[in-house]
């Protein structure tokens, strides 16, 4: 990777190829038309500049859509630094356009793990004008890597070195620990200073939210957190409809494979799995679902999917998609027993849904077909294809979710950032959901673009239902 | 209606035709195979008889499926009396079979409103052996009519006669008030005695639950209530998958109409509306959705449905289905402007979703085609068809939801009844949801029947997720 | 069956209950609105009376839709006599309305085989005013029973008694032979006279058409035949979209069974099978297809259906639907090995798709649940449900295809009848298809009703395509 | 374009970048696994070398799948030269791999029209070893360009110069005429010699076939032609299921646009339109269909699509897809009236389905976003996106149909080539369909790969149906 870290005031970014900026800008222009929620928020809030001067660090796939989010935050007054949250998910022309516009961004497609965490650190390091660094006041997180790094760094500086000195479960853990040891030496007291200024985080994903709840339950969460993932207009749109569009996109760009007639296994039938399974069926796949949760399993059955275990599909299925948020879903032994030329990919969260490390160490011969497409041939001669090295296939092999659905998610992110800052004195170090009224507002901002005409409650009807004429309309436990 | 009220010990029931009992029994036998949840609960709990001697009043569509619920409650030891909760929803052979087996039941298809409320009262009246009546200790409610009656009767006996003497918004309200005035005279102190013994209610529907929350918020709820409707295995199954099957069934049995090629308007895109809209689309209808809630509207749009107002569809649409739980959705003016031969029906809750009363009083000529199918011809010559007089079309024109999905709902009802009784000393007069663990259990009881094979978490995976190996698996706010 | 044969001039019909005529008439009125093709043909042709005085015998399911066909033929001037072509498919109120209007009809739901063939003979017997009978000049056939009877009767009168004296493969064959022997005695020379006047037949079904081609190839076809089944607006609409609506209707009315989550096997993936499989999947069934034809099998696979043999599904599947036009698809051995409570039905053509005769003789105990629903319990205790005794489930258990799609089929029938008569001197005893121009015309007649707006070719575009501006648009081999 | 024409014996090819050959070869290896039909044909026929030494010219999109076809023809003994049939459809790594293997190929992505026709001529020019050129003995054609060129060249040499001297309707016509005039001068007698050796052509597309039938009707067809397009395993698979997969692929790679919630107009509801419409609906588009043929229009309506004119959708629709095979479907006036940011593309056949020439000359400002994606901004400020300059969007913006479905089409092509050669003495200069037996064989060759298990007819069943036990199973007019 020939990307170079520039931290002089004039070139505070690290991207693959700054000459892609023009192309990136053209696509950002197109995306703005598809992101009516963010554009409406700009129109409504920019005049007041509610994030004026606030230092915001983002760790979120550096795509065209994210570029529109970044520029929305800047329009609201924020001082933004950005990194990607996945080594393969950056769109280099998007990163170039953001860099060219003067926003510090540290992201390119195909980072090493060492580079990835260095980028994360760079996004956290706001020059203080005196040769040192300040941390962010707000964090936009996706998967919780920034939150993790700050918490671990802070713990280390507080004298708790148990984690950094414990045996590492993965190569990535080693990398993080090495980074923390280095910052401890190079920037003593840095993490403590970061925590002092940090007012809150809004988190995008199921996985990251899960980590936050665990921290909160353990009493270790350092700042208020807004769970953006569980806004209806996020989890029921981005996770479901986003994946319904982007899974097949990733498979097609990677493999150009005919989906009709294939047997596809979708592991997990949450929102991501639902979107994935329905997309594959619509293409003419025979879809088999695996589940641990009896309710989700029953839902899959009611939709006509066969529900069984991965083991029962070996030798039969052509395509495997993990969508669980859990680990070790596709094991090395599974891959060894799959049909020749089976395709294996992940759209859940981390690459550990598939035992990639064990596969690499297994003696299977790896042939790279093209970027993000590897063929592993086992000693017995049969082979499988692993996409995006087990990381998110829609981001690694295609361009992630399309703009319109991300406009929903990112409108929630932006409203969360505004609220975290405006009410920074009132929030506690807990995990919050956005109020339903805002959730409905995000939806409302997207209706006109697609020609939806809402019906208006009469006062008599609102009274009959016992809800305000303009909402919110549903009880908190409503599931949509 | 030649049904006759029998209250001698030997004939404590009122059904349309007791000779249908054999046929009903054959269909109950079939239904038992389709209701694995209830049958599993019988096997597990009957030996302990957890409802031994408990007086249970049920007000719930007297169908074949309900017969299996009734006999499950009896197997658990309960002393059961039953009425239907809808004047058209009784399956007469089901009622006959239950009556023939010795359970007091008061229900037939096509009751008048007066008969309906008399039946409800009869189901509430357990002979005390001394010529008087005891009330139920537990209530199984659907739509909240029993709960309403007891609360209103109790208020009246406590001296609050404001409601019974207020002007009535509908004929049905008049009937209820007359009944209460009569019982005040004939059975003085009855409602107060009922309340004294009453330990709780489990409620089946969105509408009934909504009423309960309103009562609770107003501090007027007299007993603990379990909101069965919002168990995932109820609202996301019965409401969604049940309606997906039973709406078309009602339309077909009523009208034998070709659905392909028709324009159908579904008012409301909650769970019931979702099931309805998807069913009609699968038949080849062009489906248009109306919504007040921007989130649900956006969901409909993401599924490819046109979303607009009823007004915009007049003259174009062939079929109207209300699924809102609200009132005045299809007004008289709408019906006057519809395409000739348009079909209008309701699968939401009450018949006031359609302005039936205004239609009847409008001067349109009503021709009865067959039971539950009326043609209204307007002075200008064009006509519409109204199904089931605006009441639930799936129950009025077909046989309601199929057994398998009702087994989910009724398993929740049964577990709620058991829990209300077992913990009657701990519950407060509030509205409760069943714990997620029980919700998952209900799903689990239905998997084997349809051949679903669950995947089992390993301890390492459970630890990674931070959930128990056997669940519950999801946070409370999870939406499925 | 209390239906009685009336052949005095004043009561020349035999139906179940003439008092159902009013109800039948109301439903015929509704159906007319749903059958725009037939109504347009009436408007266009009735003034010329192209079938004035022509004796037409129809053998086609005596439903509400057929009533509209019959009255269309009468409007065109024909002298019509009618029988059903299936012992269970008559709608008694439709037959009553037709009888009441003065058209001789011989049909009721639940005929014995003897009654069925007597009805067919009655429909063939036009009183000659001198105590004898004339045969039809034109025949509308469905399944080819009338055509068969005339051909067999004629052969017998010509001295070929080989068939009537051969061993019978089924009870039905015995019945036919007995009838022929009887007419030989009672009406000597009748069949020869029938053939002399007979000018042609139009045939509705795949099965009947297949028989006609076999007769033609063998040089034994006595009259010109128009293959209506293979008009696009018949086979691709009635067979496909009709079954997509009526299969589930039959299953629901018979069994009230939840389809979601069930495993359903559809035997045959022709047009009928395609409609059936797609309908069941839309309900949430997991559908498995069986096929003998590799092309149809590949189509099923491309649509995501598992394709395997019946044997591989035994013990797994809940529902079996035959749609092949072939025999012995579901054997006794299959039924003996099915899952307990499996449902077996046929939507293909004859009841011999399922080995009903062998089942009845097998020692399984038959319990009738309600009309058309029989439970067969095998000695080992497990049971299956057989619907409509193996005859067409949509006609036996529901009301057949809806009006709109039948309007397409019957418009083809009517145009065929008109053409057969108008050009009776030019037709040869061969099997003909209707010209594509008429096929397109039939479609065109149905568009306005459902709001379809066609695009019109410009002359330049028509020239570019090399087709007339108003069609026909496609080459003969085009498959739609 | 830096591609260079090499015609020395050692480098008889012209491709974009020969260094892409390795990548191309890896993808060819993958494709072979997905093209079981072609591989089976290789195994079965290669030993006899039925095309030994036969000169074959192909004009067909130079993709990875076509590479497998080319190598199959070579395995059968043929001497092959190839060009693409579309200026944008070449996959450069596929062309490179074919060139590297020694097969003369003349194709790259993004040819000018002049280059395109030069490539076609190069593919027709087999060096005769004496500095001159021989023509092909067989032609594989897609769209009929090779057939057109030979017919026009031959006519010119026969003295008929009316066409080459007539005014040209398009720039492309000018290019062809210039080429013919040049060859007349440079290679006198060439076309006459080509025709003398030419034994037949197999044609792939609806459009090309249509041209052939027109030639045959006019008595001008010079050689036997096999209509491969209308093999069931071609038109009902490639056109339908291929487009169902590749349309969205093209849209996604070009625009990364969210399809859910958009209004999409599909012009034409033939096989290509059917696949397109169903794909878009499955993504959550609201799909509107336009049609000229009442039968296809009625089919669209039965599937729940709104059917209206392009005019009625202007200002409402977001995406336009032409799939007609006709011209001037989307006019300049349409584009001027479309919604801002509407996307316009073609998956039918030629770019004249959209008035691209008029658009370019209209004064709208063209901004190239990336290859194959152009934004045209009209004077009033609103803009549209035109994909692949109006040529096939699935080939221009993605990689065309996936391998598996092309294996069906190309198996038909290969069997046609074998048959044309083997029976070259018996064929007449007419248009032929492949016999149904071969059609079924092609399907059969693809079943095992996707796990389909066929049912086998018993002799008794075959006898009952009157078909051979092993097929063919259906009459010629059967539509599948």
């Amino acid at each position: 990777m020939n990307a170079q870290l520039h931290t002089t005031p004039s070139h505070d970014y690290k991207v693959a190829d700054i000459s892609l900026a023009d192309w990136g800008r053209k696509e950002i222009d197109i995306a703005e038309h598809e992101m009516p929620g963010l554009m409406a928020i700009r129109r409504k809030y920019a005049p007041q500049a509610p994030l004026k001067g606030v230092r915001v660090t983002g760790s979120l796939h550096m795509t065209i859509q994210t570029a529109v989010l970044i520029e929305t935050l800047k329009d609201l007054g924020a001082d933004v630094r950005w990194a990607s949250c996945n080594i393969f998910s950056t769109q280099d022309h998007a990163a170039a356009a953001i860099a060219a516009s003067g926003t510090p961004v540290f992201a390119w497609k195909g980072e090493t793990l060492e580079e990835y965490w260095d980028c994360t650190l760079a996004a956290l390091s706001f020059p203080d004008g005196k040769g040192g660094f300040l941390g962010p006041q707000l964090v936009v997180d996706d998967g919780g890597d920034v939150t993790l790094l700050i918490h671990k760094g802070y713990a280390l500086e507080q004298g708790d070195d148990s984690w950094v000195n414990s045996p590492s479960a993965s190569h990535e853990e080693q990398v993080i620990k090495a980074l923390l040891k280095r910052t401890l030496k190079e920037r003593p007291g840095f993490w403590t200073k970061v925590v002092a200024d940090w007012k809150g985080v809004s988190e995008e994903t199921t996985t990251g939210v899960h980590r936050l709840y665990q921290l909160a339950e353990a009493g270790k969460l350092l700042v208020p957190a807004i769970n953006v993932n569980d806004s209806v207009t996020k989890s029921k749109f981005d996770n479901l409809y986003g994946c319904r569009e982007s899974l097949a996109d990733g498979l097609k760009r990677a493999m150009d494979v005919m989906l009709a007639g294939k047997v596809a296994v979708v592991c997990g039938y949450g929102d991501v799995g639902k979107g994935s399974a329905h997309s594959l069926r619509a293409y003419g796949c025979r879809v088999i679902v695996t589940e641990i949760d009896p309710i989700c399993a029953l839902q899959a059955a009611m939709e006509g999917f066969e529900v069984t275990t991965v083991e029962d599909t070996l030798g039969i299925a052509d395509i495997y998609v993990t969508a669980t948020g859990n680990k070790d879903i596709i094991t090395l032994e599974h891959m060894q027993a799959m049909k020749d030329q089976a395709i294996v990919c992940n759209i859940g969260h981390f690459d550990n849904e598939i035992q990639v490390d064990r596969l690499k160490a297994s003696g299977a011969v790896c042939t790279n077909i093209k970027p993000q497409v590897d063929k592993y041939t086992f000693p017995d001669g049969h082979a499988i294809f692993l996409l995006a090295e087990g990381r998110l296939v829609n981001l690694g092999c295609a361009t992630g979710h399309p703009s319109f659905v991300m406009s929903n998610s990112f409108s929630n992110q932006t409203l969360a950032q505004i609220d975290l800052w405006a009410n920074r004195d009132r929030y506690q170090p807990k995990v919050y959901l956005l109020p339903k009224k805002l959730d409905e507002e995000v939806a409302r901002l997207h209706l006109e673009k697609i020609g939806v005409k809402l019906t208006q409650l009469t006062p008599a009807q609102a009274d009959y239902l016992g809800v305000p004429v303009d909402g919110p309309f549903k009880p908190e436990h409503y599931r949509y």
Side-chain angles (χ1 to χ4, degrees), chain A:
Chain A
M1 169 45 62
N2 61 355
Q4 293 173 19
L5 182 57
H6 301 273
T7 48
T8 63
S10 60
H11 287 302
D12 189 8
Y13 62 78
K14 192 170 173 187
V15 300
D17 182 356
I18 193 71
S19 77
L20 300 174
D22 276 358
W23 174 28
R25 179 55 53 192
K26 285 183 203 160
E27 297 221 341
I28 291 170
D29 288 346
I30 295 175
E32 288 179 354
H33 282 272
E34 286 282 304
M35 303 188 86
L38 287 182
M39 301 312 279
I41 288 173
R42 288 189 195 181
R43 283 191 301 275
K44 179 167 176 185
Y45 292 103
Q48 303 109 281
L51 298 178
K52 191 172 170 61
V54 180
R55 298 190 304 276
V56 176
T57 290
S59 164
L60 202 157
H61 313 287
M62 182 59 247
T63 62
I64 292 290
Q65 291 76 34
T66 300
V68 183
L69 168 60
I70 290 170
E71 299 196 335
T72 301
L73 293 170
K74 292 188 69 178
D75 261 24
L76 304 185
D79 177 10
V80 179
R81 297 178 74 83
W82 214 265
S84 196
C85 62
N86 180 302
I87 61 175
F88 290 131
S89 66
T90 297
Q91 289 178 272
D92 288 324
H93 60 319
I98 289 301
S101 76
T103 301
V105 56
F106 307 87
W108 58 94
K109 190 178 185 83
E111 301 161 354
T112 64
L113 288 171
E114 285 77 5
E115 290 167 336
Y116 172 81
W117 286 97
D118 284 348
C119 286
T120 303
L121 180 61
L124 278 163
S125 306
F126 290 78
D128 64 2
K130 297 173 273 182
F133 298 103
L134 297 172
Q137 291 162 299
L138 292 175
V139 169
V140 174
D141 217 353
D142 179 301
D145 281 352
V146 163
T147 299
L148 174 88
L149 195 64
I150 300 177
H151 277 76
K152 293 295 187 193
Y154 180 75
L156 182 62
E157 289 185 355
Q158 298 301 307
D160 176 1
D161 62 357
S162 57
W163 186 72
V164 296
N165 290 324
S166 65
S168 293
S170 68
H171 175 56
E172 185 154 18
E173 237 182 84
Q174 286 180 326
V175 172
I176 303 170
K177 290 170 181 170
L179 174 72
L180 287 176
K181 288 177 183 167
R182 179 156 51 87
T183 55
L184 188 66
K185 213 177 299 173
E186 296 176 357
R187 301 185 184 180
F190 174 70
W191 297 112
T192 304
K193 209 167 51 178
V194 168
V195 170
D197 285 356
W198 189 20
K199 297 304 178 195
V201 58
S202 57
E203 165 61 46
E204 182 81 9
T205 67
T206 309
T207 307
V209 161
H210 190 68
R211 284 182 178 181
L212 288 169
Y213 281 110
Q214 288 179 318
L215 276 176
E217 270 166 42
K220 295 184 176 165
L221 184 62
L222 297 169
V223 287
I226 292 188
N227 167 359
V228 167
N229 179 68
D230 288 300
S231 291
V232 188
T233 48
K234 200 281 174 180
S235 63
K236 293 294 245 186
F237 287 81
D238 176 338
N239 300 10
L240 179 65
Y241 299 123
C243 293
R244 194 177 67 179
E245 305 223 352
S246 61
L247 170 62
D249 199 14
L251 283 168
K252 285 288 184 183
R253 297 197 203 198
M255 295 296 298
D256 291 319
V257 69
M258 181 96 180
L259 293 171
K262 296 289 193 301
V263 177
V265 177
V266 175
C267 301
Y269 198 70
D271 288 315
V272 170
K274 285 176 172 75
S276 299
H278 281 277
S279 167
L280 291 171
R281 170 186 282 177
Y283 270 95
C285 283
R286 177 153 73 90
V287 177
I288 299 172
V289 166
T290 74
E291 249 300 339
I292 57 159
D293 182 325
I295 297 177
C296 297
L298 192 57
Q299 288 184 306
M302 291 298 102
E303 295 292 350
F305 296 111
E306 184 177 351
V307 184
T308 189
T309 60
V310 171
E311 286 73 18
D312 279 2
T313 69
L314 299 173
I316 295 167
D318 301 285
I319 298 169
Y320 288 83
V321 180
T322 56
T324 68
N326 200 348
K327 66 173 186 175
D328 300 328
I329 304 305
I330 302 289
T331 65
L332 172 61
E333 288 72 19
H334 290 154
M335 292 185 273
Q336 285 169 334
M338 283 177 186
K339 197 172 168 179
D340 188 28
Q341 314 280 321
I343 298 169
V344 178
C345 65
N346 167 39
I347 195 169
H349 198 66
F350 291 121
D351 55 347
N352 63 355
E353 300 215 7
I354 302 163
Q355 291 186 335
V356 177
D357 289 343
R358 287 188 65 210
L359 175 65
K360 287 183 178 171
S362 74
V365 177
C366 178
T367 312
N368 179 257
I369 305 297
K370 63 182 183 186
Q372 324 295 341
V373 180
D374 293 301
K375 183 176 180 177
Y376 283 87
T377 307
F378 293 98
D380 69 357
H382 94 282
I384 65 159
F385 294 97
L386 178 69
L387 306 189
E389 300 189 19
R391 292 174 185 259
L392 294 176
V393 65
N394 53 346
L395 280 154
C397 295
T399 64
H401 293 339
S403 302
F404 186 80
V405 81
M406 293 315 296
S407 180
N408 282 278
S409 305
F410 289 170
S411 294
N412 282 297
Q413 278 282 14
T414 307
L415 294 175
Q417 292 282 313
I418 293 173
D419 210 61
L420 276 174
W421 188 252
N423 297 301
R424 59 192 179 279
D425 299 333
R426 269 178 299 201
Y427 274 107
Q428 302 296 317
K430 291 197 255 178
V431 188
Y432 297 85
L433 287 170
L434 281 176
K436 187 169 293 290
K437 184 81 185 166
L438 286 183
D439 219 345
E440 291 181 1
E441 183 61 20
V442 168
R444 204 181 294 269
L445 295 175
H446 290 83
L447 296 180
E448 191 193 1
K449 160 78 184 170
I450 52 174
V452 166
K453 199 165 161 187
L454 274 188
T455 300
Q456 178 70 31
L457 278 185
T458 64
Q461 287 177 320
D463 194 52
Y464 183 79
L465 290 180
V467 301
V469 164
D470 294 319
F473 300 105
K474 301 290 193 300
E476 281 309 312
H477 59 256
Y478 190 71
R479 293 193 189 85
Y480 296 88

